[in-house]
Amino acid sequence: MDSQRIRQPELAGKLMSADEAATFFHNGMTIGMSGFTRAGDAKAMPRALAERAKHEELRFTVITGASLGNGSDGLMAEAGLLARRLPFQVDATLRGKINAGEVMFIDQHLSETAEQLRSGTPSSIDIAVIEAAAITENGIVPTMSVGNSASFVEQARQIVIELNTSVPLALEGLHDIYLPAERPARGPIPLTSPQQRIGRATIPFDPAKVIAIVLTETPDSPSSVLPPDEETNAIARHVIGFLEGEVEAKRLPHTLAPLQAGIGTIANAVLHGLVVSPFRNLTMYSEVLQDSAIELLDSGQLAFASASSITLSSAKYEHFINNLDKYRDKLVLRPQEISNHPELVRRLGIIGLNTALEFDIYGNVNSTHVGGTHMMNGIGGSGDFARNGQISIFVSKSVAKGGAVSSVVPMVTHVDHSEHDVDVLVTEWGLADLRGLAPRERAVKVIEHCCHPDYRPQLRDYFERACRAGGHTPHLLGEAFSWHQHYAQHQTMRLR
């Protein structure tokens, strides 16, 4: 084994296969696994544990940073390993098990998981499984994400380290590991700009806790985001036009404020649109960096980016790794508890850009549930930034399913972000700035600027009749979900 990968010689004796390491895991345990949006996730241990589950009863509570890659969530779900899973996922197989009631899924703000674990909820961590680029004299070097790894290592009774030899040792030094002190004596987190480093480059750990070191050479799963299209380009133009207006009104400087963008195709495409914008010397303080962030760094418009994870397409990953020295002084990866911390989001004045499944005429946003009942992926970090940021922007295409579903509805079937946390709504048709508006004023903006023309007459009719019925926030309760019911019965929200 390369001595640069394990720089604590006494740990070399802990090297073993994933199958051997799997024998330390017992039914009913709570497992903390590294990984955030398919980056830096454990690869070997999920496979080994799924194989073991074929021959004996083995069910766990599995806690991660966010979604895992390489089909790990689906593999573990199919094997029956997952009794309980939190706080975020994107796997189709696991999603099916969640919606069938076979896996208990806790959909949780990404800033909250580590904090709740300190309080022992839902339970303490029995084993932490952490991917690493190296084990140095000072600690564990994470790979392409930090997520909740530092908290898992701190709190777990035992640690399994997956040493991934496919990632370059040059990742060392890219991370800033800082964890808040215990309450109630905790002081302010001493971070006042995205560029600042407040912690250490490695995750500190107790070598006595390490029960196994497993070698892997499996790379991260590549990002699955789609390239920009006509609709996402239109959304980007609306967002850029809005930000230009904020600068002109002197509510924002020419460098804007630190940007946050959620995972996914639409948010990535909107950031991609900034490449042709007039803004320069931008900064990001986000939970994940996608291809668009690397493009903005390459264009020179983005001066610095702070996140908890880097999730890239195959081509962009290769470009990033081959040019790591160029990016070293422009990037930092932090624990997600810090990247998403409400204190820091509020202090830095973040502009949050996140994606909605649907939103209603008053500005309530559903990010998670299809038809109000079926979990898609989870709330992720969008709530951390929506509630605490300077400007909260939610974007969505105006229709789905070939136009059979309107993303703008009378009332959302599930509320993740209430109207109180939402400032701006955007579709390809336009932008509704809801700041300073009462509910009836908001509705007019949303209908006329965001709704697809095919659904505007329907939405106007609903709103006008609701207003005649009265109320500060007018609704016809017997009809509020009629569009969703009509879709369930006729596969379209068009009522006539």
Side-chain angles (χ1 to χ4, degrees), residues 246-269:
E246 292 297 288
V247 172
E248 186 176 346
K250 302 189 184 307
R251 288 189 287 265
L252 287 174
H254 288 282
T255 55
L256 302 181
L259 301 168
Q260 174 266 335
I263 192 73
T265 294
I266 298 179
N268 182 70

Side-chain angles (χ1 to χ4, degrees), residues 265-279:
T265 294
I266 298 179
N268 182 70
V270 172
L271 278 189
H272 176 81
L274 288 171
V275 172
V276 294
S277 76
F279 306 117

Side-chain angles (χ1 to χ4, degrees), residues 38 41 43 70 131 164 166-167 216-222 317:
R38 303 185 179 185
D41 55 306
K43 280 93 172 173
N70 290 286
E131 181 177 87
N164 194 330
S166 77
V167 299
T216 182
E217 54 182 10
T218 304
D220 287 340
S221 294
Y317 175 83

Side-chain angles (χ1 to χ4, degrees), residues 82-102:
L82 302 179
R84 191 173 299 272
R85 175 74 169 83
L86 63 150
F88 186 81
Q89 57 78 40
V90 299
D91 186 87
T93 300
L94 174 54
R95 184 182 303 128
K97 299 280 187 180
I98 290 167
N99 288 320
E102 296 174 28

